[in-house]
Amino acid sequence: MWCPEGLDEVEAELLGPPEDLKGRDVLEIGAGAAQCSRWLTAQGARPVALDLSHRQLQHALRIGGDVPLVCADAAVLPFADGSFDLACSAYGALPFVADPRLVLREVHRVLRPGGRFVFSVTHPLRWAFPDEPGPEGLSVSASYFDRTPYVEQDDEGLAVYVEHHRTLGDRVRDVVTSGFRLVDLVEPEWPEWNTSEWGGWSPLRGHLIPGTAIFVCERD
């Protein structure tokens, strides 16, 4: 699943047709509990799930499966050049680093020629609106061009969550200057069957403004 809208890889085939995944080496970046990697394994791929959070990888171990788990920084990937055929990241790593080009260049390095990297992030337009699921979330409250990070702090003032804003143009430039060719930019529409609300995600907002941007990139 690429996003809260519910876009499924079975339907989207952004990584390629399911039959083409068999035997492919795939790196999942910001894997969390390795949900995507378990799906890739079921398709016959050979995924590796990477996450900075040891706790998230503990959840992956608890859930089970044969996916290799790696605790590492996405900006310093512990793999040799040309180790993977594909890479994917569903809301992982890229929104949480100040300079996403560090991650993109590392992914470019570990992909084989012709390799594809697909990643999803919060649609940049959403940063101009309050993170509310109801009508109050439909009025612009901030500048789309304000790249100030969103930061949550604990009682001692230490940052416990940080997310960085990049405009759509920033994202495209990041991809291209990191050596990739942008193949597609997918903005999933909110499907009628999805009636769920989660944080600022809702059918009301989803039918009016995009919530997710998915970048399909290839290494020439």
Side-chain angles (χ1 to χ4, degrees):
M1 197 73 70
W2 285 108
C3 51
E5 287 86 352
L7 183 64
D8 197 306
E9 175 59 15
V10 173
E11 169 193 349
E13 296 188 358
L14 301 182
L15 294 171
E19 61 270 18
D20 290 351
L21 295 176
K22 189 172 183 179
R24 307 272 285 209
D25 296 310
V26 188
L27 176 62
E28 183 187 3
I29 298 167
Q35 297 94 320
C36 296
S37 287
R38 282 191 294 277
W39 180 86
L40 286 162
T41 298
Q43 311 311 306
R46 296 191 297 263
V48 173
L50 178 141
D51 203 285
L52 184 64
S53 169
H54 184 257
R55 177 64 64 85
Q56 286 285 357
L57 296 177
Q58 284 180 318
H59 290 314
L61 283 173
R62 176 175 49 80
I63 294 169
D66 297 326
V67 178
L69 306 175
V70 177
C71 188
D73 188 336
V76 191
L77 295 174
F79 307 108
D81 297 358
S83 296
F84 298 94
D85 300 301
L86 298 166
C88 61
S89 184
Y91 277 82
L94 285 158
F96 311 110
V97 294
D99 187 353
R101 292 168 297 183
L102 298 176
V103 176
L104 287 163
R105 289 166 184 164
E106 276 292 272
V107 176
H108 184 276
R109 179 183 64 80
V110 302
L111 280 176
R112 294 166 186 145
R116 175 168 287 201
F117 179 36
V118 183
F119 67 92
S120 60
V121 295
T122 300
H123 197 289
L125 183 63
R126 288 286 287 266
W127 283 76
F129 295 83
D131 194 26
E132 299 288 345
E136 64 275 20
L138 295 176
S139 298
V140 171
S141 62
S143 170
Y144 168 77
F145 300 101
D146 183 359
R147 295 168 177 82
T148 304
Y150 170 77
V151 180
E152 294 179 1
Q153 298 174 313
D154 63 15
D155 293 338
E156 297 179 354
L158 297 175
V160 294
Y161 180 90
V162 179
E163 189 171 347
H164 296 270
H165 171 47
R166 307 285 284 170
T167 67
L168 202 56
D170 291 338
R171 291 286 183 198
V172 171
R173 281 186 291 275
D174 290 343
V175 166
V176 174
T177 59
S178 298
F180 285 100
R181 179 168 59 92
L182 184 61
V183 176
D184 199 1
L185 172 55
V186 182
E187 299 167 293
E189 295 188 38
W190 194 275
E192 293 298 329
W193 59 261
N194 192 344
T195 60
S196 62
E197 288 190 7
W198 174 69
W201 304 89
S202 68
L204 173 66
R205 279 174 38 111
H207 285 306
L208 295 173
I209 58 174
T212 297
I214 307 175
F215 294 82
V216 182
C217 319
E218 286 187 352
R219 182 193 192 281
D220 290 331

